[in-house]
Amino acid sequence: MNIAVAVDDVRREALPSASEAGPAPKRIVVAYGFWIFLLSDIVMFSALFAAYAVLVRATAGGPAGAQLFNQVSVAIETACLLVSTYTCGMMSLAVNARRRAATYFFAVVTFVLGAAFLYLEVREFADMIARGATPQRSAFLSAFFTLVGCHGLHVAAGLAWLAVMMAQVAVRGFRASVERRLLCFALFWHALDIVWVWLFTVVYLMGVRP
Amino acid sequence: MTDARYDRAPGDISISAEAKERTLSDVGIYTIGLALAVILTATSFWVANTSLLWAPGIPLGLVVLAIAQMGVHLIFFLHITTGPDNTNNVLALAFGVLIVTVVVAGSLAIMTNLNDGMMPAELMNLHMQH
């Protein structure tokens, strides 16, 4: 067993380390930079989450979460976003394999699911506002619309980005620059789903409990 | 595989030698991730709506399920590993998690403390009348 480990080490040590070989390829640098951006974006979301958690009881006599949230709608939104994350991963694999038709197919599925999520969310907001639960009504509702709306804006930006990327694949093909952007898009889309996991847990599931 | 040991880009599914040694296909990794995420999400919705569990423990249970699902997403969708080519990605993530924890836990602790220290509304009204 020790021998096997030793042999493995020799094989690895035979390769020059990254610092000796010069700067890392651009794909790694770009994706790492985007990873740092995503983490800073998540830090921003954490501030909105903290504000929401502090203000969740400050309903000023207005409606509370338990009267406003529709769990069925939230479950469908969650399913849309989760499956779209999966199809986004399938799209990444199709891009790596340079399969153009599969890339388009999974991009379209991802786009449709993301658009369905956004439609349900906008309908939920419109329904709440029609019932008088506007952002001006209470500190709780201000925090709710800021937090959930900010995630919705990110999803809308992601949809626009995905449409642009498909245009780039169509016009420029699988160029290195286009592949780097597609990698960043996949990171962005997966990160949005992680934020949504916390959203439906903290806002909707904890919110419906008395 | 290039001739040097570079780090792996975050979100990049392994294209190195170890990918060939894996028994599981790339599609299989995403599919397992989806299955686990669906199970955890369904459990979250069940936990929030059931009356079988001890009610005060439910928020904690939901947080644990969310952390587990975050882990599933990081491993199966973002392909974060403990490998040496992922050290930079993991360190950046750890720093992000630290800041998020400080912001959320700190805000909640401070605001709870201030709320506890605040004069009750009735007393405040009485006080203002004099």
Side-chain angles (χ1 to χ4, degrees), chain A residues 4 22 62 100 119 181:
Chain A
R100 198 179 273 255
Y119 168 75
R181 288 167 202 157

Side-chain angles (χ1 to χ4, degrees), chain B residues 99-114:
Chain B
I99 300 297
V100 166
T101 311
V102 167
V103 168
V104 173
S107 300
L108 283 176
I110 290 169
M111 294 311 290
T112 309
N113 187 270
L114 287 176

Side-chain angles (χ1 to χ4, degrees), chain B residues 122-130:
Chain B
E122 316 87 73
L123 270 179
M124 180 74 99
N125 289 338
L126 207 65
H127 190 72
M128 298 293 270
Q129 283 162 12
H130 295 288

Side-chain angles (χ1 to χ4, degrees), chain A residues 132-149:
Chain A
T134 58
Q136 298 99 311
R137 181 62 190 81
S138 64
F140 155 67
L141 284 165
S142 300
F144 168 83
F145 277 101
T146 310
L147 175 57
V148 183

Side-chain angles (χ1 to χ4, degrees), chain A residues 12 16 18 21 24 27-28 31-32 35 39 46 53-54 71 78 85-86 89-90 93 187 193-194 198 201 206 209, chain B residues 3-5 7 9-10 12 26 30-31 41 45 48-49 58-59 62-63 67 70 73 77-78 88-89 92 104 108 111:
Chain A
R12 280 168 183 272
R27 183 179 169 90
I28 293 168
Y32 187 69
W35 181 236
L39 291 167
S46 79
V54 165
Q71 277 207 52
T78 306
T85 276
Y86 177 74
M90 293 295 106
L93 295 181
L187 277 174
D193 205 32
I194 292 181
W198 285 101
T201 300
M206 289 185 185
R209 303 199 61 79
Chain B
D3 51 354
R5 271 189 295 136
D7 292 349
D12 234 355
D26 293 345
Y30 279 102
T31 309
T41 304
F45 276 84
N49 290 297
I58 284 177
L62 287 172
V63 167
I67 290 173
M70 191 169 69
H73 282 244
F77 296 153
L78 290 163
N88 283 339
N89 304 342
V104 173
L108 283 176
M111 294 311 290

Side-chain angles (χ1 to χ4, degrees), chain B residues 57-77:
Chain B
I58 284 177
L60 189 64
L62 287 172
V63 167
V64 170
L65 283 165
I67 290 173
Q69 191 166 348
M70 191 169 69
V72 167
H73 282 244
L74 286 172
I75 291 166
F76 292 96
F77 296 153

